[in-house]
Amino acid sequence: MATIPEKAALLMEHLVTHDGNGGHGYSQYSRNGDGTIEVVRVAGQSVTIDGGDRDCSSAVISCYTALGVDCGGATYTGNMRSCMTRSGNFVWKPMSWSARTGDIYLNEAHHAAMCISPYGSKRGDLLAQFSISEKGTIDGKEGDQTGYESNVKPYYNYPWNGKLHYVGKGSSSKPSTGGSASSGKAKWQTAYGDPNWFGPKMAKAFVSQLLGGKDDFLSKQSTADKHAFWAVSGGVEYGSGGSDSIRVLQSALGVKADGYYGEKTILAHQKWLKKMGYYTGAIDGYHGTQTNVAVCKALAASAYK
């Protein structure tokens, strides 16, 4: 029989994998749904949950409240830890705690996500989250137009402050393995930070190979391209003028060299990465985690020099 945390994880996965206008997108303005109701079947149980959009915190809170769990009146990332632990249904665990299905990763200032598959499981170490609207802002059209407003990602460190672990009725004491191992991994998996996200280490290597520069960020990128270049974690500086590194890349790819890493450049980049044997994902013009992994492999082979 599935535990409450396992059911919460199934609900969360339902929310983040329903794309399109009828799906569940990101909004801070309509973060508690649109007033409609949907019935979701999870582990043999029919669960009633609000339709419509969410933001990162309301999504994980709603998955537990839909199962009848008292979350202590938690309303946003800043009060989740205090409210949810005060309810008696959750305890706070440090990052050294091995994540279990249904655990809530929390950055108390900015973000929340849920572990839907722990490290060591058949599916691998996965989290589900609500990220950003299709406009790259805090609100947009209802539904998940890009397929990335809400999503499933391999585990990454936001960074997180810790985890909220459910201990209320219907919990389980059965441990599951967690954390992330680094021993025995290839260079592309370890040398550039988390390979799923374009962060400072990856940016520094990328800029260095393309231009010989030493910046640990990609400079002067347009905020209008955030929706396409979305798997970023501190590796991009926004502004105007474009990046000389991207101009070098664009010239090599045969696209307009304006210095901005947008959909057309990403599309050409993905085609090149696939041709070189580094990329196995969709050629869709959206730079996500799979594209970052391919970039890491290319960097490890010094392919941009």
Side-chain angles (χ1 to χ4, degrees):
M1 181 179 294
T3 65
I4 290 292
E6 288 168 345
K7 290 178 180 179
L10 289 170
L11 271 178
M12 186 68 176
E13 189 161 0
H14 163 80
L15 291 178
V16 303
T17 54
H18 280 62
D19 301 334
N21 293 340
H24 301 277
Y26 184 94
S27 174
Q28 287 187 18
Y29 297 149
S30 304
R31 62 194 299 273
N32 293 309
D34 59 6
T36 63
I37 297 295
E38 66 175 305
V39 179
V40 183
R41 192 77 174 167
V42 291
Q45 177 182 351
S46 294
V47 180
T48 300
I49 194 165
D50 293 317
D53 290 353
R54 306 287 198 280
D55 68 2
C56 63
S57 57
S58 69
V60 294
I61 293 168
S62 69
C63 288
Y64 275 101
T65 56
L67 292 165
V69 174
D70 177 13
C71 290
T75 55
Y76 73 108
T77 53
N79 68 9
M80 285 176 67
R81 178 178 178 179
S82 60
C83 290
M84 295 175 78
T85 55
R86 189 168 58 242
S87 74
N89 286 320
F90 296 86
V91 294
W92 182 252
K93 296 289 188 179
M95 286 307 294
S96 57
W97 163 265
S98 296
R100 305 180 186 184
T101 301
D103 280 0
I104 299 168
Y105 295 108
L106 189 62
N107 177 298
E108 295 181 81
H110 299 294
H111 196 39
M114 185 183 291
C115 173
I116 62 168
S117 176
Y119 179 79
S121 64
K122 290 182 179 180
R123 296 179 66 191
D125 199 356
L126 302 175
L127 58 77
Q129 63 184 1
F130 277 68
S131 296
I132 198 165
S133 80
E134 78 281 2
K135 297 178 180 179
T137 60
I138 62 173
D139 187 48
K141 183 179 178 182
E142 183 173 335
D144 187 0
Q145 284 73 52
T146 65
Y148 301 121
E149 293 184 54
S150 56
N151 49 73
V152 174
K153 298 262 183 275
Y155 172 79
Y156 69 96
N157 188 5
Y158 185 82
W160 310 112
N161 300 124
K163 309 178 185 78
L164 286 163
H165 174 66
Y166 180 73
V167 293
K169 183 179 179 181
S171 63
S172 171
S173 60
K174 182 181 179 181
S176 57
T177 58
S180 298
S182 59
S183 60
K185 290 187 175 181
K187 179 182 177 181
W188 68 266
Q189 294 173 293
T190 59
Y192 312 110
D194 185 336
N196 297 291
W197 292 83
F198 192 91
K201 286 186 178 180
M202 196 185 305
K204 185 173 184 178
F206 190 65
V207 170
S208 178
Q209 285 197 22
L210 285 168
L211 201 63
K214 297 182 180 180
D215 289 340
D216 57 358
F217 58 86
L218 195 60
S219 64
K220 301 176 183 177
Q221 292 301 293
S222 171
T223 55
D225 294 323
K226 279 186 176 182
H227 75 286
F229 190 20
W230 57 269
V232 174
S233 179
V236 176
E237 175 194 69
Y238 294 96
S240 60
S243 164
D244 287 338
S245 300
I246 294 299
R247 290 188 182 94
V248 172
L249 177 66
Q250 289 169 324
S251 295
L253 295 173
V255 297
K256 181 181 178 181
D258 59 7
Y260 294 113
Y261 193 59
E263 289 183 41
K264 290 183 179 179
T265 301
I266 294 169
L267 194 70
H269 192 193
Q270 288 173 329
K271 289 179 179 178
W272 177 79
L273 288 166
K274 179 161 280 192
K275 181 180 178 181
M276 297 293 289
Y278 302 123
Y279 184 58
T280 59
I283 306 297
D284 56 9
Y286 290 92
H287 186 120
T289 55
Q290 284 183 287
T291 310
N292 278 324
V293 166
V295 169
C296 284
K297 291 178 179 178
L299 288 170
S302 299
Y304 292 104
K305 289 184 176 180

